[in-house]
Amino acid sequence: MLSILGVGGLSLAQAATQDSNYDSAASMSLISLDDETVEAEDSNDNLSEVANMLEVADDTDDAIDSVRDESALDDELNNELDNDEVKAFDTEIPVESAQVPLNAISPETLKTFVAVVDLVRREYVDAVNDEVLFNNAMSGMLTKLDSHAEFLDAEAYENLRAFTEGDVGDVGIKATYQPNDGYWVITEVIDDSPADQKGIEVGDYLHRVGEFRLDDNRQANDVEQLLSGIAGTQVDVVTSKAGRRKHTTTLQRNNSHPQKIEIQLVDGIAVVKLPAFQNDSREKVLDGLIGLDTPISGILLDMRDNPGGLLTSAVSIASLFMSDTDVVQVKARQSEPRILSTTGEAILKPLPVAVLQNRYSASAAEVLASSLQAENRATIIGEVSYGKGSVQSVIPLNDEQAVKLTVANYMTALGKEIDEIGVEPDVTLTGSENTWRQQALDLLSEQALDTGVRFVRNPSGSAGTRQSGADN
């Protein structure tokens, strides 16, 4: 998955897949800009000439105005929509925008931009490479749109393509709160991790992660989850050294942790820990249930701290519990909402289900929880989830650069917003999360089947069920 995740999170919701199910070059067309070279007379060129050129640009010959991305949102359901990514989407420039020439931009705005660039080149304390300067300008333009959009340079783009779909990653640091100092202090920096490569050191103060300010109200698990997310996504951290000024560093979650689905049997109830949604999550859940080789009277889906992953994986998990059911609506700016529905046999349909979530359950995890809740198919237990309801796509500009852009929002099957709202639990839990699983099991046991269901593998290799007595 090309992500940026998610959390939360493609994401996005939103890592680049090496699987044949996703080929970024094949599913996303490149955005080609015709070259217009501006020759400088000497090394001290005045960029105001560029602004003058833009002001008199011929609107019918303006190459940027005429270029459009030819990719379109395919009507086939197998065009997978991910938490942090949409494989193909409609980016056709609206008629009212396509006819706006570059010289329609305020001349004062252009002159101000050029003046700032020229000032930095002449007066900044260190010499700045023009390529770096303009890359930073593009990055700033995108990050001001929302917290998920970003410009990916060659290194970031290559790192993103190196990950397996749905892995969870972090930036390679740990921190603890020091009451005497009144700050969160970094206590560990993993060698050659993204944080280490950017010069963050043990003993530095950690003030903010993303949009969240760190204070004594945060718990260690809070900070750990804020630093974690779908592998390949980025997060801004604000740090400082003792007595020094704070500064912001953008870190990519390249310290990847392949995720393992854990399944345990507790008093006849299968507890399925889903850490993220990956291509093979459905198969791993079924394999785990078959491996128990004992009757099951209910299923508890533990999706605490799940940052999301592949949206289609969440739909396939929902398809185990429900048949012919709408799961999620995906709404892009220029199209009607797309509805993703369950497919195949609902093998787990006979079993009662509960979902355990916390405030770090995000994106695809919220899609699954909300769809089960809407159909009264599961009891949602815990606290309000994160509220990450946007879809990001990584759009290659060339072989070395790309843009990660929010291209759609998703809503529950009933059309309710998720972004910045989250999924409300049916049963709210407070206090230590160490007790939550047992509380959820106690609630689910009241609905458990008297006669359990044993899962077996059919001769064809597919999963099947066999009714068993509760004492078998």
Side-chain angles (χ1 to χ4, degrees), residues 57-130:
D58 187 321
D59 55 352
T60 59
D61 294 332
D62 183 356
I64 296 179
D65 294 337
S66 64
V67 173
R68 60 182 290 267
D69 188 336
E70 297 295 337
S71 62
L73 187 61
D74 199 307
D75 288 332
E76 296 297 327
L77 189 60
N78 61 6
N79 273 335
E80 298 180 355
L81 293 170
D82 296 345
N83 153 43
D84 288 319
E85 155 195 22
V86 63
K87 281 192 66 174
F89 53 91
D90 186 1
T91 56
E92 182 175 358
I93 300 174
V95 174
E96 63 272 20
S97 299
Q99 304 304 318
V100 178
L102 257 181
N103 62 1
I105 300 173
S106 165
E108 291 303 317
T109 299
L110 288 171
K111 289 179 179 179
T112 301
F113 175 79
V114 168
V116 171
V117 172
D118 200 28
L119 181 65
V120 171
R121 294 173 68 186
R122 290 185 290 105
E123 302 294 341
Y124 187 65
V125 63
D126 297 319
V128 183
N129 181 281
D130 283 353

Side-chain angles (χ1 to χ4, degrees), residues 21 24 45 80 117 125 252-253 309 321 340 345 383 415 454:
N21 289 333
S24 63
D45 56 303
E80 298 180 355
V117 172
V125 63
Q252 197 165 21
R253 295 182 175 104
F321 298 97
L340 301 185
E345 181 183 359
E383 60 187 352
R454 185 190 299 269

Side-chain angles (χ1 to χ4, degrees), residues 393-404:
S393 177
V394 173
I395 310 170
L397 301 175
N398 50 52
D399 290 339
E400 294 187 342
Q401 297 172 317
V403 167
K404 184 178 74 173

Side-chain angles (χ1 to χ4, degrees), residues 245-287:
R245 182 176 297 178
K246 298 177 183 177
H247 65 278
T248 301
T249 306
T250 300
L251 301 175
Q252 197 165 21
R253 295 182 175 104
N254 292 350
N255 193 39
S256 180
H257 311 290
Q259 297 302 293
K260 179 181 179 181
I261 294 177
E262 299 176 357
I263 300 181
Q264 296 178 319
L265 191 68
V266 181
D267 297 330
I269 295 176
V271 181
V272 181
K273 176 64 176 175
L274 274 173
F277 290 91
Q278 300 172 300
N279 270 332
D280 56 359
S281 293
R282 177 185 183 278
E283 289 70 26
K284 286 184 176 179
V285 168
L286 290 176
D287 286 344

Side-chain angles (χ1 to χ4, degrees), residues 214-230:
L214 305 186
D215 53 29
D216 58 355
N217 292 321
R218 298 284 178 184
Q219 302 296 319
N221 184 59
D222 293 333
V223 177
E224 179 182 350
Q225 293 305 319
L226 290 173
L227 292 169
S228 301
I230 295 298

